[in-house]
Amino acid sequence: MSAVVQLAQQLLSYKTITPKEEGIFAHICAFLGDFEMVRADKNGVSNVLFYKRFGDPTKTPLHFCFAGHIDVVPVSQGWQYDPFGGVVHGDFLYGRGAQDMKGGIAAFVCALRDVCATLKEDAPPLILSILLTSDEEGEAQFGTQYILEVLRERALLPTCALVAEPTSAKELGDGVKIGRRGSIGGKIVVQGIPGHVAYPRTCLNPIDLVASKLNFIAGTQLDSGNAFFEPSRLVITAIKSDSGASNVTPKSVEILFNVRHSPETTLEDVRNFLDRVLEKIPCNITLQQHSLPFLSPKDCALVRYLQEAIAKILERTPVFNTHGGTSDARFLATAGVEVVEFGLPNDRIHATDERVRVDDLNNLYKVFVELLYLIIKDAHAKQASSF
């Protein structure tokens, strides 16, 4: 069994349900060997950067970082194999986090360790690193976002990064995320006058007030999107009132919603839309921007090198997209780091009997090795051109 699969099995054995770290960072540290480390924990969330410097220390280095999360979602009943057993059966490795995303972490930890071992004294000015958090599946308030602030203070902020989220759909390498949609959460509270349903003149039912407007809100397309982003849509996620009886009209009704949006729509656009639709309805509207949309240039060096590595190892051309929910890549993008996401297939993430193909693990490792050598080659070329 390859070192990648063995490491993945070991990582799967740690019960790192958000935000627990359970000692997995010490395991990775021992596996990497002589890497330097920055640990930045806050409010029960564990974060770490493992890094190694190369080349002339007086020159500004290129800093390439692999990023990911070691935390996993809880386990439900009905697993065929121990979700923390790292069981290999047939062509698959089973375990919670096999795809999302301990498999990807095992691939880039092995790739970085092996490539660093081959670099010599004439290496270009370079920092190669791994950034890990234990709170990507949770609130993400004190995870990647926090350690990036610490790294900026220490002049260790990456230049570019790859987040090894499971981005492939049907086959490894068929999809690369070069951006993500933004996310706006919202709440509409419609005010009424409670009363007995038998005496409608004495009450004002807030459900009646807003009912005719729901068709204009639910599923509404707010823009047409663009080449890389789907249209922005408002999706109602809950409707609830404060009435506890079937014969009493409520004092208020609360509508929760989310907008996954392209750069064509802003929080202010959502507010203006709702103000127009609900103009004559007595209500309060609150909005919160959870994340902003971002897009890495399709022709940037990191995207080109990743595409080249996938083509060489997998003989496949990936589709560049911004599909899916949010990830910690949004924090890297906000910090000014050029970022892409690429990893294993995502067909079994968060599912019972989550699993990954052993061949996909090994091939992802090979893609990451090839990517690293392309980045190092580019750094060498820039160093030579500066003389």
Side-chain angles (χ1 to χ4, degrees):
M1 202 173 298
S2 70
V4 179
V5 177
Q6 290 182 42
L7 180 58
Q9 287 180 296
Q10 293 161 5
L11 299 183
L12 289 171
S13 71
Y14 289 87
K15 298 181 180 180
T16 54
I17 296 171
T18 309
K20 296 179 180 178
E21 183 262 330
E22 300 292 311
I24 197 172
F25 288 167
H27 186 108
I28 295 171
C29 182
F31 184 88
L32 286 170
D34 60 343
F35 277 61
E36 297 183 72
M37 180 177 71
V38 174
R39 184 77 182 250
D41 297 355
K42 187 172 183 180
N43 288 17
V45 177
S46 302
N47 307 290
V48 70
L49 181 84
F50 300 108
Y51 69 101
K52 207 164 190 179
R53 296 177 183 268
F54 299 93
D56 188 343
T58 66
K59 296 188 176 181
T60 303
L62 169 70
H63 181 174
F64 172 74
C65 177
F66 282 115
H69 62 91
I70 53 88
D71 61 311
V72 298
V73 297
V75 175
S76 60
Q77 298 295 318
W79 280 68
Q80 183 179 3
Y81 303 103
D82 180 357
F84 299 104
V87 175
V88 174
H89 181 79
D91 297 331
F92 296 94
L93 168 63
Y94 289 81
R96 173 59 84 222
Q99 287 184 332
D100 189 14
M101 61 179 290
K102 291 181 178 178
I105 291 172
F108 66 57
V109 167
C110 287
L112 196 61
R113 183 195 66 167
D114 293 350
V115 169
C116 285
T118 69
L119 295 183
K120 300 178 181 179
E121 292 182 0
D122 63 343
L126 189 67
I127 296 176
L128 298 176
S129 70
I130 291 170
L131 186 157
L132 299 171
T133 182
S134 69
D135 190 30
E136 193 272 351
E137 299 288 5
E139 294 298 322
Q141 187 175 358
F142 304 108
T144 297
Q145 184 173 210
Y146 171 66
I147 192 172
L148 287 173
E149 296 172 2
V150 173
L151 297 180
R152 187 187 295 278
E153 292 171 358
R154 300 191 183 195
L156 279 173
L157 195 68
T159 311
C160 52
L162 184 147
V163 182
E165 286 285 353
T167 62
S168 302
K170 295 181 179 179
E171 298 178 300
L172 177 65
D174 63 9
V176 171
K177 295 190 189 304
I178 58 173
R180 291 274 188 165
R181 294 175 295 173
S183 175
I184 297 170
K187 179 169 68 174
I188 303 166
V189 179
V190 182
Q191 304 294 340
I193 300 173
H196 197 293
V197 297
Y199 302 95
R201 290 188 179 88
T202 66
C203 54
L204 183 63
N205 191 336
I207 298 174
D208 292 343
L209 292 177
V210 76
S212 64
K213 302 297 183 180
L214 292 180
N215 283 339
F216 298 100
I217 298 173
T220 295
Q221 182 174 309
L222 300 172
D223 60 49
S224 300
N226 58 38
F228 286 104
F229 289 91
E230 296 176 354
S232 305
R233 292 184 186 278
L234 191 155
V235 178
I236 293 177
T237 55
I239 300 177
K240 54 185 179 180
S241 76
D242 58 358
S243 175
S246 63
N247 62 346
V248 177
T249 62
K251 179 180 180 180
S252 64
V253 62
E254 183 177 279
I255 301 167
L256 303 180
F257 62 91
N258 185 269
V259 180
R260 294 301 166 99
H261 66 102
S262 76
E264 309 299 321
T265 289
T266 66
L267 183 143
E268 199 58 34
D269 293 331
V270 176
R271 186 180 303 280
N272 291 338
F273 166 74
L274 291 173
D275 284 343
R276 288 196 304 272
V277 174
L278 303 173
E279 181 180 6
K280 297 181 180 180
I281 306 296
C283 65
N284 297 315
I285 302 169
T286 57
L287 301 174
Q288 183 177 6
Q289 184 81 59
H290 297 302
S291 62
L292 291 168
F294 70 92
L295 184 70
S296 295
K298 186 178 177 181
D299 59 350
C300 72
L302 181 57
V303 173
R304 287 189 285 108
Y305 292 150
L306 180 58
Q307 186 175 19
E308 187 175 336
I310 292 171
K312 180 176 179 179
I313 302 301
L314 303 175
E315 298 181 346
R316 190 164 292 135
T317 300
V319 173
F320 298 111
N321 66 78
T322 61
H323 300 161
T326 59
S327 77
D328 278 358
R330 68 190 189 273
F331 300 127
L332 288 152
T334 300
V337 180
E338 189 175 279
V339 59
V340 298
E341 298 174 69
F342 172 66
L344 295 162
N346 55 29
D347 59 310
R348 299 294 290 270
I349 61 173
H350 295 195
T352 300
D353 284 331
E354 182 177 349
R355 68 185 188 181
V356 62
R357 285 188 177 276
V358 170
D359 284 348
D360 284 344
L361 275 176
N362 292 324
N363 285 329
L364 183 61
Y365 160 81
K366 293 175 184 178
V367 171
F368 287 159
V369 167
E370 182 65 22
L371 174 65
L372 284 168
Y373 280 126
L374 289 170
I375 290 170
I376 293 164
K377 181 180 178 181
D378 180 67
H380 266 297
K382 289 179 179 177
Q383 180 186 33
S385 65
S386 66
F387 291 131

